[in-house]
Amino acid sequence: MRQQNRRALGSRRMSSVVAGLGAVLFIAGCGAGQITQTDTQEAAINGAAANAGTLAIRDAELVFPEAVSTTESGQPVYYYPSGSQAIAELVIVNEGATDDELVSVTSEAAGNVSVQGDRDVVQRSTLVIGPIGEDVNADLPQSASVPPPSEEQVDDQVGHASIVLEQLTREIWPGQSVPVTFTFKNAGSVTVDMPVGAPTHSRVTEEHGEHEDSSSSH
């Protein structure tokens, strides 16, 4: 098994995703063999979720866009213009006993999808997809409500990569989703409808002119 670099993300959202990783792998260890051969897609809660063989895709979404224009009253308007690019955020968990590899990522909403960084999804490990930030403490936080997985259930490894949807073929607004297809060497292909994520910055409400911190609700 190849050793992957352990990395941590610079964003608060991706830290919370990794914090829930222990719960995913702990449940996987208890329910081994219950995953069917048919790829399935689950309802989006914090981003979209899907399964492909022994791989679990969780919290899949597009980073909230920057403001590209303003209204007549001066309020910012957030969306992805046609021809721009969107950054993806998600976690890929390998719940099986065999390594896999992310071969390609495609989307009908993008002229090209760039994949940089680690592509291997090591057995009993995870591949975190998101903006590449500075290296910080590599220790993984654990969920306070779920017992952490044992050493036999998961290796202490985390891979990190970035996925960017380039040359968008249409405008993408908050509240919309984009189909993205992930193809793996062993698990095959699965398509996930990735929604635009919630903003992590403060917004000014047009009606009251008050600051609203959207990240406080998470």
Side-chain angles (χ1 to χ4, degrees):
M1 179 177 61
R2 288 174 288 182
Q3 182 71 22
Q4 293 182 321
N5 292 329
R6 301 172 60 194
R7 298 177 182 269
L9 299 177
S11 68
R12 178 171 57 187
R13 178 199 167 274
M14 291 307 292
S15 295
S16 64
V17 170
V18 178
L21 173 62
V24 175
L25 289 166
F26 178 78
I27 294 172
C30 297
Q34 296 181 0
I35 299 177
T36 64
Q37 295 298 319
T38 304
D39 295 338
T40 59
Q41 183 160 334
E42 303 171 4
I45 300 176
N46 295 320
N51 293 333
T54 61
L55 301 183
I57 296 176
R58 297 292 182 264
D59 300 299
E61 63 184 31
L62 301 179
V63 173
F64 193 81
E66 298 292 333
V68 295
S69 62
T70 58
T71 64
E72 293 182 355
S73 60
Q75 299 302 314
V77 179
Y78 301 93
Y79 71 98
Y80 286 110
S82 176
S84 65
Q85 63 182 30
I87 299 175
E89 287 186 333
L90 60 135
V91 171
I92 304 174
V93 182
N94 188 341
E95 301 169 336
T98 304
D99 295 355
D100 210 327
E101 179 184 354
L102 178 60
V103 177
S104 65
V105 183
T106 58
S107 175
E108 62 183 30
N112 181 63
V113 179
S114 172
V115 181
Q116 302 291 333
D118 299 320
R119 288 176 176 261
D120 292 334
V121 191
V122 177
Q123 58 173 327
R124 302 299 183 186
S125 185
T126 183
L127 178 62
V128 178
I129 309 295
I132 297 179
E134 297 179 356
D135 287 345
V136 293
N137 192 335
D139 290 337
L140 294 180
Q142 298 292 346
S143 171
S145 60
V146 179
S150 67
E151 294 181 357
E152 295 179 353
Q153 290 174 319
V154 56
D155 291 331
D156 193 12
Q157 293 186 14
V158 174
H160 187 205
S162 67
I163 294 178
V164 180
L165 277 62
E166 302 174 336
Q167 304 167 19
L168 295 178
T169 58
R170 58 180 172 84
E171 294 179 353
I172 302 176
W173 292 78
Q176 296 181 334
S177 61
V178 173
V180 179
T181 300
F182 298 84
T183 301
F184 300 94
K185 182 177 181 179
N186 299 324
S189 298
V190 61
T191 298
V192 184
D193 288 328
M194 297 179 59
V196 175
T200 57
H201 51 75
S202 297
R203 293 180 299 171
V204 179
T205 59
E206 184 172 354
E207 295 180 357
H208 306 291
E210 299 176 347
H211 286 279
E212 175 184 343
D213 189 353
S214 300
S215 63
S216 62
S217 61
H218 297 284

